[in-house]
Amino acid sequence: MPTENEIELDDGKIFIDDKWCTVNELQTLIKKKVDQGDFDVGRHSNALNLLKKEIASYKSITLKIPKNLVDTYSKLAKTGEMKVETCLRGALQDYIDAQGLVKDTEPEADEEKEEEEEEEEEEEEDEEDEEDEEEKSYEFEIDEDDVEEEDEEKKPIKEIKCPKCKGKVPIYTKKRPLKIECPKCGKKGVLKK
């Protein structure tokens, strides 16, 4: 049995009150409850917002694939009790993950969260630095192997495709995870593999 607020993306439905509901069905249910003077619509309103947000975060594409591949995925989907579309979406995500490409799940939320965390870390470091400067002085040794020379002619060891603009993002190091930014559109992400 599905869980509360579970979303079936391909049908555009969310599971609430032991049934699957579309956006229109939820809107009608909420309006009906309010018209009857029942203002206990928080769960339904939350479910409606979740469903709308999830639907808006995906884009439909048309894909032509060989019939035998469709048949194979249809069989797999039936054994796993899922739709062919869900199975194909999972396979595509697995492929992208295996290639080490940037995973783009909720880009705006991830970027905002990352920026907030970085700001908090910088504030903490600044406070610690101020305290340390008052008490101690430090000597730093620089290991020349850790210094990356700024060479305009330095060649990337790898280039990946930006998921937003499809431009090339040069990768100069094998260190992972690696924060990257597309030089063309400014899209930020983390390269994990």
Side-chain angles (χ1 to χ4, degrees):
M1 176 139 188
T3 59
E4 186 84 359
N5 290 336
E6 183 176 324
I7 294 175
E8 175 50 59
L9 185 65
D10 298 308
D11 292 333
K13 294 183 177 182
I14 190 165
F15 193 77
I16 186 165
D17 294 340
D18 297 324
K19 65 183 178 203
W20 290 100
C21 296
T22 64
V23 168
N24 289 338
E25 291 168 340
L26 278 171
Q27 288 172 331
T28 303
L29 177 66
I30 292 169
K31 184 177 181 340
K32 183 179 176 183
K33 288 182 87 164
V34 171
D35 288 346
Q36 293 173 349
D38 182 359
F39 298 104
D40 185 19
V41 293
R43 284 180 37 260
H44 297 92
S45 179
N46 184 46
L48 178 61
N49 289 333
L50 286 172
L51 182 57
K52 282 182 170 181
K53 184 178 179 184
E54 188 72 11
I55 290 171
S57 71
Y58 282 81
K59 181 179 179 180
S60 294
I61 62 169
T62 302
L63 179 66
K64 293 186 179 192
I65 55 177
K67 185 182 180 324
N68 65 338
L69 192 57
V70 173
D71 293 342
T72 302
Y73 267 102
S74 295
K75 289 176 187 172
L76 282 172
K78 286 178 185 174
T79 61
E81 297 180 4
M82 66 175 73
K83 294 186 174 226
V84 173
E85 293 87 349
T86 306
C87 198
L88 288 170
R89 196 171 28 254
L92 181 59
Q93 185 66 57
D94 290 345
Y95 174 79
I96 289 170
D97 291 345
Q99 296 301 312
L101 301 175
V102 176
K103 193 173 182 179
D104 194 14
T105 49
E106 286 185 42
E108 292 173 6
D110 288 345
E111 286 178 21
E112 288 174 13
K113 187 176 179 182
E114 241 179 66
E115 288 174 7
E116 287 175 9
E117 288 174 358
E118 286 176 10
E119 287 175 10
E120 287 175 9
E121 287 175 13
E122 287 175 8
E123 287 174 9
E124 288 173 8
E125 287 174 5
D126 289 345
E127 288 173 7
E128 289 173 8
D129 288 346
E130 288 173 11
E131 290 172 8
D132 289 344
E133 284 177 13
E134 292 173 5
E135 297 173 11
K136 304 174 187 172
S137 62
Y138 293 96
E139 268 187 49
F140 294 95
E141 288 184 30
I142 298 174
D143 185 355
E144 291 182 20
D145 294 336
D146 293 337
V147 176
E148 291 185 22
E149 294 179 18
E150 290 188 26
D151 183 4
E152 291 180 16
E153 296 180 31
K154 187 176 180 183
K155 302 286 183 199
I157 58 170
K158 181 179 182 180
E159 287 183 336
I160 63 170
K161 193 181 287 187
C162 174
K164 184 175 180 183
C165 72
K166 308 298 182 218
K168 291 181 180 178
V169 180
I171 306 299
Y172 295 98
T173 179
K174 292 182 180 181
K175 293 180 185 177
R176 301 292 185 271
L178 177 67
K179 290 183 182 180
I180 58 173
E181 183 175 345
C182 177
K184 186 174 178 183
C185 70
K187 171 84 174 138
K188 293 179 183 178
V190 178
L191 187 61
K192 295 180 180 177
K193 295 180 183 182

